[in-house]
Amino acid sequence: MTTQHLEKKRENPSQTLFSSFHEIVSNSNQDLTLENANVDGRSPLGQMNKFASESAKAYAKEYLLSNEALEAMDDNFIHIHDLDFMATGTTTCAQIPLGKILKNGFNTGHGYMREPKTISSAMALAAIIFQSNQNQQHGGQSFQAFDFDLAPYVNKTFEKELDTLKSYDLPISEERMKEIAWDETDKQCYQASEAFIHNLNTMHSRSGGQVPFTSINYGTDTSKEGRMIIKNILLATKKGLGNGETPIFPIQIFKMKKGFNFYEADPNYDLYQLGLETTAKRLFPNFSFIDAPFNYEFYREGEPDTEVAYMGCRTRIMANRHGEQTSIERGNLSFTSLNLVKIALISNSVSEFYKTLEKYTNVVIRQLYDRMCFQSEKSAKDFSFLYGQGVWKNSEQLGPNDTVGKILKQGSLSIGFIGLAECLKALTGKHHGECDEAQKFGEEIVSFLRQKCDEAAEVYDLNYSLIATPAEGLSGHFVKQDKKEFGEIDGITSRNYYTNSFHVPVYYNIRVIDKIKKEGVFHKYTNAGHISYIEVDGDVCKNIKAMDRIVKAMADNGIGYGSINHPVDRCHQCNYTGVIDNECPKCGNDNEEKIDRIRRITGYLVGTMKQWNTAKASEEEDRVKHS
């Protein structure tokens, strides 16, 4: 729908809007003010953002959505993500070409940044790039090849240190000078990594309400310089922030590849082991798998740009109908999710279920197209960093007054889904964790959705794709409305949340390997993004071999992107970080208000569970450990 077709949909939307305003002012609705766990919705600027968000949603509903999309949303069949940003015409996320931007220099609007000469400057500018781009998108951003992109600046630092040593005319050999120069470069690389992490956990964007939502991918650069980047970012993460806090950002993804870091004889195997030690203490890095067939098909040896990259929550983009098939300089334009549970609850047969599922999938396909048409009308000058500094592929071809439609075609339009487990329970009486027949049926449903995406890609000649939805606020929103309509149905609407995407329910006891196998089959269908978690108990720092076995099992069973969850708690009184049951094992503190319990919410971390909405808090409480 373009700006020339704006028309008012309903006569009196103000009552609902002002009701939301009252809840914001009174802080009476935690699910509204804490919709995003990393934004303090109670703070003055957080409240202002919520006022803006609710107003923008109301505007979009009245003027920007088609009647069929509005009706489907009001009837709880679909959820349009980031609807509050729709009127701005911005996109969801991007894989930023860090190396290119550092090499060419960039302008943040207040002055030109030239190419850095040292690793310290390069990492400082990398943080600024993240922050500058954050205000031009409603989702996250990522560096696709963090190690490869920064390696040249490690070398520049080494050359500078070596030149300085040579100027002193020291009575030592050149080989010894090189050793000293590399040692000093290593120290500077660690300090730069530490500063980078500190910056990304303290630099607020979006009116002071949120630090940039950032991810970095690394792990396959085997050069001396690249290895130094990987090693030091892991060491700085492992150490933690000033008082030992676990860094929330950047989300870190260690790229696994046989021949690079998978086997003991591989050149970066030692860094993979350090990655396991780090995730055992800090929950990051997560692990992606280049050798998964749907990732490997794009891979070309010796070309880092062809390595798969993920955004922290799960977003993935590779296939491209309008250009090179890589992640770099591209991202998701927008996505909308289907409520599989309600579709199942109103269906009296499997054939009726598929008929209804197809109906609402078609609604989503058209709604995503309409939204892209609206985005395409925006001018390049409206996004001075995203398109003006070469973040998005081919954006350098645009003049300030050019519209952006011709370059947006390289992005993806994604259909998401939530509640496969509850959907199967409604249709068969069992979810896929408990029954192989339900598992097979679940695969057929997800395969059907992928087929619909592929058909839409052909019809519209756009990159339609299927995403395993990262549901935070949505996990409670859908079930809350369905419970009003259908009542409380055991195993379906009886909890405060629906199970995320294709996951086996968090409350279901299942072995690690069985969970990996059951969820692994869905990764190949969800080409817009996916993640699988394993919940482990206790202090996993003492059992790195078990962590290694889990990662290898993921690699062997079709997982594209996975992570390992475990308790990470911190005592405010003594800064102890580890597992805290009822009281701190170091100082005896038993005041829950003085203990941070860091957990993964949808793919990213939250510094304290006090900021979770009720649905996700209920889900976390139900999580069982996988044996």
Side-chain angles (χ1 to χ4, degrees), residues 98-234:
L98 175 61
K100 184 182 87 170
I101 293 176
L102 288 177
K103 177 74 175 173
N104 296 339
F106 61 94
N107 192 325
T108 62
H110 302 289
Y112 181 77
M113 305 292 173
R114 62 180 179 270
E115 184 182 11
K117 303 298 182 185
T118 66
I119 188 59
S120 297
S121 298
M123 282 208 181
L125 291 179
I128 292 170
I129 290 168
F130 267 149
Q131 186 179 37
S132 299
N133 196 63
Q134 180 69 88
N135 290 313
Q136 313 238 318
Q137 295 185 155
H138 56 255
Q141 60 246 286
S142 175
F143 295 143
Q144 178 261 356
F146 190 68
D147 40 3
F148 286 98
D149 286 340
L150 288 172
Y153 302 99
V154 174
N155 189 63
K156 285 178 182 290
T157 303
F158 165 73
E159 295 289 351
K160 183 178 179 181
E161 290 300 319
L162 185 59
D163 287 344
T164 301
L165 286 171
K166 287 180 177 179
S167 71
Y168 294 150
D169 196 23
L170 298 171
I172 57 176
S173 68
E174 185 166 348
E175 282 304 309
R176 179 56 184 148
M177 283 188 187
K178 288 181 179 179
E179 289 177 9
I180 296 170
W182 275 120
D183 286 344
E184 183 58 32
T185 299
D186 194 27
K187 291 174 186 175
Q188 290 189 39
C189 191
Y190 175 80
Q191 291 172 345
S193 298
E194 193 173 46
F196 176 73
I197 290 170
H198 278 70
N199 280 335
L200 291 185
N201 285 272
T202 56
M203 291 194 316
H204 279 187
S205 59
R206 294 186 182 171
S207 303
Q210 184 181 15
V211 294
F213 198 103
T214 54
S215 306
I216 57 176
N217 295 259
Y218 56 76
T220 55
D221 189 341
T222 59
S223 70
K224 187 179 184 73
E225 296 88 347
R227 283 175 49 78
M228 198 170 283
I229 291 291
I230 300 166
K231 180 189 76 171
N232 284 296
I233 200 72
L234 287 169

Side-chain angles (χ1 to χ4, degrees), residues 591-610:
N591 184 347
E592 190 62 31
E593 291 299 311
K594 294 184 178 181
I595 297 173
D596 284 341
R597 301 194 182 278
I598 297 175
R599 302 292 185 271
R600 201 182 310 273
I601 189 164
T602 60
Y604 68 92
L605 306 183
V606 180
T608 170
M609 286 184 60
K610 301 178 185 75

